[in-house]
């Protein structure tokens, strides 16, 4: 059986003023044709899992286009249209197909489409007719009725950090193979919840999310259920459909799918109050860390998480650490090509005057003027070795490690979420040797750092990815909890 596969992916933070253009996709992950297989074979990713299972179930993979831009602001319409056109042309030229498997995100917004995935899926459906169309989506997908109507089966991530990508890709391959073979006849039910939740309490490594995932898995194990999805949504997209949703797919039993979708939605709604964030001020975090009995203490600065559209050059924490004369801290990472260039020009072992960070969005702080020692210079390339995305290649761009007083700063040319400890080890920093590690990440870092961290502190700083949802001026989202006190989800 011949199954086409591909991706146009983006997690769009509409509160970011940094528009996303075609160059953001082209200089990120951009693969066409057989390049897709070369990029993902053997990796712990959705497409890697799909490729692995495809070989076992007799799927001939027909790779189209796979591209994903680092999360940022709204996508320019001309960029989306260009990518969509190339994708559809490649789909048209793929020859006879038995189905389509798409590895999408689910929170992509363009200048003309609040629901860009819905638009893309509708276009694909129009071209392939009744062929099986199976889609995987991120746990932070803002799943819409259009997405559910166009796809035969939607499979969402179960974990955050997203360490089950490989398994979901394998599941997708098995489901579409079973559909083509006539072994299953999927019937899917979709329910949208009027619920926004911020990233930290969505972490599936701890309550309340761990309990929700356990409930989800128990529901999936019931007779006749093909798959079930609990999507927490992406609250940093100010669109009508932002927020949580559930999907249940059964084998030929729409009534049962509807009943179970209602049950799962009610479970989540009854626990809505538990999914609220508790943050620590920078001042209190400094006091806690100084008096901590072990190391490293890890600070999560979710408000500047580039994995959700943060500029990755916020300076609120760096400024506070310098002012407090904190010793033994690492700040990872600050995306600042200008400072990287100055450090490279000075060379390893030299001292250099820098204006670090604070060059993109005023909300994230002003540049920090400091005199720093250039400790290391690298090309910024490494391979992820942690549980999330193991085997995938990362590129921070040219990278400099500079030290000012007691603080080491990892300066990069590119925005990158430092969820894998290889970010530090690749530049000569062993995280367990440091008192404090500051990471511009909301939750993904826990996959690699939970085992080595003495303590984890979620720090409160302003930014376009702040867990404090009340700090945003929402204009387009429908009535949702906790922005409104709603009595029921129906």
């Amino acid at each position: 059986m011949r199954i086409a596969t591909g991706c146009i992916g983006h997690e769009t933070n509409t509160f970011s003023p940094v528009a996303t253009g075609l160059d953001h996709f082209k200089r990120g992950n951009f693969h066409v044709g057989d390049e897709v297989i070369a990029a993902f074979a053997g990796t712990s990713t959705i497409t890697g899992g799909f490729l692995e299972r495809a070989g076992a179930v007799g799927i001939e993979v027909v790779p189209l286009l796979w591209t994903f831009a680092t999360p940022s602001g709204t996508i320019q319409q001309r960029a989306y249209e260009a990518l969509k056109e190339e994708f559809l042309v490649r789909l048209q030229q793929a020859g006879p197909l038995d189905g389509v498997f798409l590895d999408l995100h689910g929170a992509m917004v363009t200048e003309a489409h609040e629901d860009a995935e819905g638009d893309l899926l509708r276009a694909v459906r129009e071209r392939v007719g009744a062929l099986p169309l199976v889609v995987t989506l991120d746990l932070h997908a803002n799943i819409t009725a259009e997405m559910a109507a166009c796809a035969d089966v939607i499979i969402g991530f179960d974990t955050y950090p997203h360490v089950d990508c490989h398994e979901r890709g394998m599941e997708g391959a098995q489901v579409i193979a079973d559909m083509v073979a006539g072994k299953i006849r999927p019937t899917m039910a979709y329910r949208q919840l009027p619920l926004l939740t911020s990233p930290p309490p969505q972490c599936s490594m701890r309550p309340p999310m761990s309990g929700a995932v356990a409930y989800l898995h128990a529901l999936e194990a019931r007779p006749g259920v093909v798959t079930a999805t609990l999507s927490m949504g992406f609250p940093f997209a100010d669109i009508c459909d932002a927020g949580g949703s559930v999907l249940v797919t059964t084998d030929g039993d729409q009534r049962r799918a509807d009943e179970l979708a209602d049950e799962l939605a009610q479970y989540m709604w009854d626990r809505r109050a538990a999914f609220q964030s508790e943050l620590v001020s920078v001042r209190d975090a400094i006091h806690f860390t100084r008096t901590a009995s072990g190391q490293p203490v890890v600070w999560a600065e979710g408000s500047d998480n580039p994995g959700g559209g943060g500029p990755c050059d916020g300076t609120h924490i760096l400024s506070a650490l310098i002012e407090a004369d904190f010793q033994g801290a690492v700040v990872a990472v600050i995306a600042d090509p200008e400072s990287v260039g100055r450090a490279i020009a000075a060379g390893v072992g030299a001292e250099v005057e820098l204006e670090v960070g604070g060059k993109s969005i005023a909300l994230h702080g002003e540049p920090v003027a400091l005199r720093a020692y250039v400790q290391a210079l690298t090309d910024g390339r490494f391979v992820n070795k942690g549980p999330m995305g193991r085997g995938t290649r990362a590129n921070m761009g040219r990278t400099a490690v500079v030290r000012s007083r007691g603080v080491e700063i990892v300066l990069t040319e590119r925005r990158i979420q430092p969820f894998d400890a290889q970010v530090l080890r690749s530049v000569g920093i062993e995280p367990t040797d440091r008192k404090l590690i500051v990471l511009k990440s909301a939750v993904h870092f826990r996959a690699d750092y939970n085992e080595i961290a003495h303590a984890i502190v979620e720090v409160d700083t302003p930014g376009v990815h702040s867990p404090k949802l009340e700090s945003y001026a929402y204009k387009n989202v429908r009535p949702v909890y906790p922005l409104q006190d709603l009595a029921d989800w129906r």
Side-chain angles (χ1 to χ4, degrees), residues 245-298:
S245 58
V246 301
L247 293 158
V248 177
T249 302
T250 57
D251 184 8
D253 190 341
Q254 186 64 56
R255 180 177 179 180
R256 183 62 171 157
D258 287 328
E259 290 174 349
L260 294 178
D262 287 341
E263 178 185 329
L264 183 56
Q266 190 65 54
Y267 174 93
M268 290 302 298
W269 183 249
D270 290 344
R271 289 155 181 80
R272 62 193 179 277
F275 286 89
Q276 306 305 310
S277 293
E278 295 183 7
L279 305 176
V280 178
S281 70
V282 176
R283 179 179 178 179
D284 288 347
I286 288 175
H287 174 73
F288 170 82
T289 306
R290 275 183 164 155
T291 57
S293 59
Q295 66 179 51
V297 174
V298 176

Side-chain angles (χ1 to χ4, degrees), residues 135-163:
V135 182
T136 56
L137 295 178
D138 193 282
L139 182 134
H140 297 108
N142 291 320
I143 302 177
T144 66
E146 179 79 351
M147 293 184 209
C150 291
D152 291 298
V153 180
I154 291 176
I155 300 170
F157 300 174
D158 292 345
T159 62
Y160 186 33
H162 305 325
V163 295

Side-chain angles (χ1 to χ4, degrees), residues 346-488:
V348 173
E351 290 196 341
V352 61
E353 300 287 342
L354 299 174
E355 297 277 337
V356 172
K359 297 182 173 72
S360 57
I361 301 174
L363 180 64
H364 286 257
E366 299 294 324
V368 177
L370 49 81
R371 184 170 183 79
Y373 171 81
V374 181
Q375 182 170 300
L377 299 171
T378 78
D379 64 3
R381 297 178 184 273
F382 62 92
V383 175
N384 287 309
K385 295 183 178 180
M388 183 175 161
R390 181 178 288 116
T392 55
R393 298 183 181 277
N395 184 2
M396 300 185 287
R398 296 186 304 171
T399 298
V401 179
V402 301
R403 186 172 70 247
S404 181
R405 298 161 75 175
V407 181
E408 293 167 297
I409 311 160
V410 181
L411 300 171
T412 63
E413 287 187 313
R414 296 186 177 188
R415 293 186 303 130
I416 184 171
Q417 183 178 179
F419 59 79
D420 197 295
Q422 284 301 113
V423 167
L424 296 183
R425 290 176 176 138
S426 69
V427 297
I429 296 174
E430 171 50 49
T432 56
D433 291 340
R434 302 302 189 266
K435 178 70 173 177
L436 168 63
I437 301 169
V438 180
L439 299 173
K440 291 183 182 292
S441 176
V443 172
H444 284 326
F445 73 94
R446 287 180 179 269
D448 212 14
Y449 281 90
N450 242 40
E451 294 301 315
I452 64 174
H454 170 72
I456 293 174
V457 182
E458 289 161 350
V459 181
D460 183 13
T461 59
V464 298
H465 197 265
S466 169
K468 297 170 70 170
L469 301 183
E470 68 275 12
S471 68
Y472 298 93
Y474 287 97
K475 297 179 181 178
N476 301 310
V477 70
R478 68 199 185 286
V480 290
Y481 177 89
L483 303 185
Q484 287 87 25
D485 187 12
L486 303 175
D488 196 3

Side-chain angles (χ1 to χ4, degrees), residues 193-234:
L193 287 158
L195 175 65
L196 284 185
T197 61
S198 61
Q202 298 170 5
C203 178
S204 57
M205 301 173 75
R206 55 180 181 161
M209 193 65 185
S210 57
V213 172
Y215 193 91
L216 174 74
H217 288 168
L219 186 148
E220 281 186 305
R222 298 184 194 180
V225 177
V226 175
T227 190
T229 289
L230 166 59
S231 180
M232 300 307 293
F234 186 62

